Amino acid sequence: MTKAISQPPYRSAMSVNHRILRLSSDIAFRMGRLSCLGTVEGSAPLCAEEVKFTLASEGIKLTASQMRALNAGEEIPSSPLASALLRLYSRLGKADPYSPEILSRFEKEVYPDGVPMRKSSKIEGADYPLPPYNKVRKLLENLFDFEAKNKEIMSPVTLACLLYFEVLALAPYSEQNGILARFWFKAMLGKAGRSMEALRIAKSLFYQKEKLDEAFALAGEKQDSAPFVECLLEIILSSVNALLREASQLEAVPSPSVDRLLSKMARGRFYSAQELCALLGLKSRLGLQKNYLRPALDRGKILMSNPLCPTDRNQRYCKKEGIL
């Protein structure tokens, strides 16, 4: 049972203490190790999983058939919100989280019938007085200004955590504020390094929701965002460590088929599945996919021309830069 917040958290101080600095440094160090190992970058199944747990954090559960459609990158007529989020998560690398454009893109996708701007100082789940709705836009603009001015001097991961806190504290909409916070948070983490795109961060946030709620309440009580930022950084570090273990295990397992595939591919050239079958002397594309392409993609050794749709019939594959 968390203590009720008496003071508005959006008025809390944005302090950076020694623990925050140490956690940020640990994350940066491990991200450097990940970039050397080569991790799985954003893919349709990963985006689908992020959507699943983003919705789950709001109490929205997807059916098995809806998840199959998400994994295939298909539209879901029965869940337009899931489809909208899949489009957003699939294009995260192209979005600038420091620009108001990302907010406009979110509102356009999630609220096609009109943005439900909050009209009251009270909404379900908030036990403190929220800022008047007519001041929310100005507060969001101030948040953009703060992030843009500090992105060169502060850790982008720490800035992402501060943004998450502020979105929850401001609660600009009458609903789906948590979804905005998690989406924007993921977008900002992506700017901290390409490997961050592979983090299953929405899943981690879902399973740590109670801990986060307690940290948010403590931040409001202390009038300082630090407890919440520390909690988020711990969750990120745990997710990075999990990805690092996964990448290390993949790297340690020899794969003669992957080595053979890479030896046949020229640098800077994209190959169709048919061309690769010919180079390897294979008759079955299924064998190519199972024994060569999937292991190489999992190890981060090759790239797809269209990673957002792995089953694209015109899919091409290229050796990743730096791979011999």
Side-chain angles (χ1 to χ4, degrees):
M1 189 72 176
T2 58
K3 183 178 179 180
I5 302 173
S6 58
Q7 295 295 322
Y10 59 88
R11 293 179 182 170
S12 298
M14 292 184 178
S15 66
V16 178
N17 57 35
H18 290 294
R19 178 161 178 74
I20 287 175
L21 290 174
R22 188 173 73 252
L23 285 167
S24 299
S25 177
D26 286 347
I27 291 169
F29 173 73
R30 285 163 174 75
M31 290 306 299
R33 291 184 61 192
L34 272 174
S35 64
C36 294
L37 288 172
T39 56
V40 182
E41 295 181 358
S43 63
L46 176 58
C47 289
E49 182 180 275
E50 291 292 277
V51 170
K52 171 186 174 180
F53 284 104
T54 296
L55 292 174
S57 292
E58 299 298 309
I60 303 171
K61 186 176 180 180
L62 299 178
T63 65
S65 61
Q66 288 172 332
M67 277 307 303
R68 284 194 293 271
L70 273 183
N71 279 309
E74 299 172 355
E75 291 288 315
I76 308 176
S78 59
S79 182
L81 178 56
S83 295
L85 287 178
L86 184 64
R87 289 191 295 271
L88 287 167
Y89 275 96
S90 298
R91 301 167 190 160
L92 270 179
K94 300 177 182 178
D96 180 4
Y98 300 102
S99 166
E101 180 188 349
I102 194 170
L103 191 58
S104 300
R105 184 177 298 183
F106 178 87
E107 293 176 346
K108 182 178 179 180
E109 289 283 5
V110 175
Y111 307 118
D113 299 324
V115 181
M117 297 302 293
R118 177 174 49 76
K119 300 296 183 182
S120 169
S121 61
K122 280 286 185 181
I123 60 172
E124 184 179 353
D127 52 4
Y128 59 90
L130 295 162
Y133 76 92
N134 60 340
K135 294 185 178 181
V136 168
R137 280 294 176 183
K138 180 60 179 176
L139 290 170
L140 286 173
E141 290 173 7
N142 293 341
L143 183 57
F144 275 113
D145 289 341
F146 175 85
E147 299 284 336
K149 290 176 181 177
N150 289 278
K151 65 180 180 179
E152 302 298 335
I153 59 175
M154 285 182 66
S155 161
V157 177
T158 303
L159 276 177
C161 295
L162 286 171
L163 178 136
Y164 193 115
F165 176 82
E166 286 298 316
V167 171
L168 291 182
L170 292 173
Y173 308 128
S174 58
E175 57 184 17
Q176 316 300 16
N177 293 300
I179 289 179
L180 170 63
R182 282 180 283 277
F183 164 72
W184 203 345
F185 179 60
K186 175 83 172 182
M188 290 197 68
L189 287 180
K191 295 302 179 183
R194 293 298 300 274
S195 296
M196 279 289 191
E197 295 176 6
L199 283 186
R200 297 175 175 87
I201 197 65
K203 182 177 181 179
S204 299
L205 294 174
F206 170 74
Y207 285 113
Q208 298 291 331
K209 189 174 187 303
E210 185 175 344
K211 183 179 178 181
L212 269 175
D213 289 344
E214 291 175 355
F216 186 80
L218 182 60
E221 181 184 340
K222 292 188 172 183
Q223 286 291 279
D224 189 339
S225 63
F228 186 82
V229 173
E230 289 176 21
C231 182
L232 262 182
L233 288 173
E234 289 171 355
I235 292 172
I236 295 170
L237 182 58
S238 177
S239 298
V240 171
N241 284 335
L243 192 60
L244 187 57
R245 286 192 297 270
E246 180 183 323
S248 298
Q249 289 167 2
L250 280 173
E251 191 76 9
V253 177
S255 179
S257 62
V258 172
D259 293 339
R260 183 166 177 247
L261 172 66
L262 296 174
S263 70
K264 299 289 185 180
M265 299 175 74
R267 291 183 182 179
R269 178 183 169 183
F270 278 90
Y271 295 84
S272 66
Q274 184 177 355
E275 289 173 325
L276 291 175
C277 280
L279 284 174
L280 296 165
L282 301 175
K283 295 181 180 180
S284 169
R285 289 194 184 188
L286 183 61
L288 172 72
Q289 179 69 31
K290 179 180 178 181
N291 300 318
Y292 293 87
L293 294 179
R294 190 70 264 163
L297 286 166
D298 287 344
R299 287 167 170 76
K301 302 296 185 182
I302 63 174
L303 303 174
M304 292 184 284
S305 58
N306 185 5
L308 300 182
C309 186
T311 57
D312 183 357
R313 57 189 245 172
N314 296 316
Q315 191 71 260
R316 297 289 188 273
Y317 305 90
C318 177
K319 186 189 297 187
K320 194 171 182 180
E321 289 184 19
I323 302 296
L324 300 177

